[in-house]
Amino acid sequence: MKLTRIISQVSAVALAVSAGTTAALSDEAAEGLARATEIIESHRAMPVYEPAGEPFDIRKVAEGKKMLSIPNTSANQFLKGIIQREIAVGKEIGLDVREWENQGQPNQWVQGIEYAIANDFDIVDLISGVNPAVVEPQLQAAKEAGVKVFTSHFYDPSQPANELLAGDLPVSFYGQGYILGNWMIYKTGGDARAIVVKSDEVPPTAPLVQGIHDALAENCPKCEILQEINVGITEWGTKIQPSVQSALISKPTANYVIPIYDSMSQFVVPAIELTGKSGTVKVATSNGTPFVLDFIREGKVEMDIGESLDWIARSTIDGYMRNLAGLDMPDDIGVPYYLFDETNIETAGVPAEPNKGYGDEYVKGFHETWMMD
């Protein structure tokens, strides 16, 4: 859901909250808590599919085409799940989709684009984390060779895409941060004290973290971000856990750790457990990666902003095929956010699945839009 839609849902009149909580808060604090509550409740409704544009015969466009998806690292389970679904959707429509396996090294991204050029791929998908600025010579070479390079789930709509790209499907990272900030306000009754784990090298990190700051400033000025921990993607496995442990010790009043990308949670959860703070420090995050949804069921993570990986895959392919067909690409990836917590986590499956818990109406919607029915 776009940020403008998130904000538009916040009514001018404060939502009623419990009498006991309201009595204990100032009018300003109570109104902020009410706004945060309304924002959170608006994302508990089952997501609804909205076509990105006019219907088109996607199988006709996809016939004989090849797409190479390059994640920032194949170790990222969120991206791995999207690409697996892209491969499956490709089989539905006749598009040959392959993954370029890599360990997060820029020279490997370079090799992937060069491979696509040498092997006559039609599309290269730089998915969520591969910074186009690092591979500009290859983007130019691809353009000259007639290979269309796109980014998906990488930029925030507020950020201009690299000019050498054939197109871009952004996602509101700011909106994710805004939800995370309001979640903490909602759950603590306006008393959030957070440690944020981020990766500044990834461009959408800035708007996402800004969204957290803005939510607190607007709806809970007394809430605090006690510390921000910046860890590079290739160092998540070695630096997140000790850094979070150290922060929890030095900031004993913290009641939340926010790993802004949920795959970070596999290193955050052990840090909380080893410092003996599992009962007092909660984890809220975003992306909806299946293993993190399992953490919710196990009581290790409190909330994850879910994005159906299958829905992302379909939206990505929809946008790229529209471009190949000469149609307008949508302004963003168009995948709505849906909150998972203890109240609905069982709907994601046991163990959690990348496309479960979001209903199946969106699949029917895509098939209709793609003229497959």
Side-chain angles (χ1 to χ4, degrees):
M1 183 176 295
K2 294 181 181 178
L3 177 61
T4 52
R5 292 176 61 190
I6 296 171
I7 295 175
S8 69
Q9 292 172 336
V10 182
S11 62
V13 180
L15 183 72
V17 292
S18 70
T21 301
T22 304
L25 298 170
S26 68
D27 289 345
E28 181 182 1
E31 290 171 2
L33 175 58
R35 288 192 297 268
T37 300
E38 188 168 1
I39 289 165
I40 295 307
E41 292 302 332
S42 73
H43 289 88
R44 290 189 181 280
M46 186 61 63
V48 177
Y49 169 78
E50 297 179 6
E54 62 186 271
F56 69 111
D57 188 343
I58 197 169
R59 286 176 292 196
K60 183 177 180 180
V61 178
E63 184 178 4
K65 302 295 194 302
K66 297 192 296 182
M67 179 172 102
L68 186 67
S69 281
I70 306 178
N72 66 352
T73 170
S74 295
N76 186 313
Q77 292 305 300
F78 176 71
L79 305 184
K80 193 80 171 178
I82 294 172
I83 295 173
Q84 288 172 347
R85 295 309 306 158
E86 286 179 339
I87 292 170
V89 173
K91 291 177 180 178
E92 289 181 25
I93 66 173
L95 176 68
D96 181 2
V97 181
R98 306 178 199 177
E99 176 184 1
W100 182 258
E101 298 269 355
N102 72 89
Q103 289 73 50
Q105 302 300 321
N107 68 304
Q108 296 172 324
W109 307 339
V110 166
Q111 292 166 2
I113 298 173
E114 291 175 344
Y115 175 84
I117 295 170
N119 289 275
D120 299 319
F121 277 76
D122 301 278
I123 293 171
V124 173
D125 176 25
L126 302 182
I127 182 171
S128 194
V130 178
N131 191 341
V134 177
V135 291
E136 284 191 345
Q138 289 70 40
L139 296 185
Q140 183 64 49
K143 189 174 184 178
E144 293 170 359
V147 179
K148 292 195 170 187
V149 182
F150 300 91
T151 48
S152 66
H153 210 282
F154 176 71
Y155 293 107
D156 183 86
S158 66
Q159 299 172 309
N162 190 293
E163 294 181 354
L164 291 173
L165 294 168
D168 169 52
L169 291 171
V171 62
S172 182
F173 289 93
Y174 180 93
Q176 292 179 14
Y178 197 72
I179 294 170
L180 287 170
N182 281 294
W183 175 266
M184 292 189 289
I185 298 167
Y186 164 73
K187 291 298 287 186
T188 63
D191 188 31
R193 300 177 300 278
I195 294 166
V196 173
V197 186
K198 61 181 183 174
S199 288
D200 282 338
E201 69 189 89
V202 183
T205 290
L208 200 161
V209 173
Q210 188 62 50
I212 300 174
H213 280 276
D214 286 356
L216 300 187
E218 292 171 17
N219 294 330
C220 186
K222 69 169 285 188
C223 294
E224 297 180 82
I225 294 180
L226 302 175
Q227 184 174 341
E228 294 182 9
I229 300 171
N230 178 41
V231 182
I233 291 172
T234 60
E235 298 175 317
W236 284 9
T238 57
K239 291 191 175 180
I240 289 180
Q241 182 174 326
S243 297
V244 172
Q245 285 179 235
S246 177
L248 288 171
I249 293 169
S250 65
K251 309 291 183 183
T253 63
N255 53 17
Y256 269 91
V257 176
I258 305 293
I260 63 171
Y261 306 120
D262 72 357
S263 291
M264 294 171 160
S265 300
Q266 62 190 304
F267 312 112
V268 168
V269 167
I272 294 173
E273 292 174 342
L274 287 170
T275 51
K277 293 182 177 290
S278 298
T280 57
V281 176
K282 305 299 182 182
V283 176
T285 186
S286 62
N287 285 155
T289 307
F291 82 86
V292 185
L293 298 182
D294 288 332
F295 279 174
I296 294 176
R297 195 179 62 255
E298 296 164 3
K300 297 176 180 179
V301 168
E302 184 179 65
M303 187 277 288
D304 198 352
I305 301 172
E307 301 172 82
S308 165
L309 307 193
D310 181 63
W311 201 325
I312 292 173
R314 291 178 187 276
S315 291
T316 300
I317 288 175
D318 178 272
Y320 295 169
M321 294 298 103
R322 286 180 184 279
N323 181 281
L324 292 189
L327 302 173
D328 291 335
M329 288 181 67
D331 293 333
D332 61 34
I333 204 165
V335 178
Y337 300 140
Y338 181 59
L339 306 189
F340 284 101
D341 64 9
E342 64 180 0
T343 67
N344 63 351
I345 192 58
E346 296 297 332
T347 66
V350 183
E353 299 176 25
N355 57 329
K356 196 167 184 180
Y358 303 90
D360 58 6
E361 290 302 312
Y362 75 94
V363 177
K364 297 176 184 177
F366 275 110
H367 283 182
E368 291 176 2
T369 300
W370 293 345
M371 298 181 173
M372 294 179 67
D373 293 334

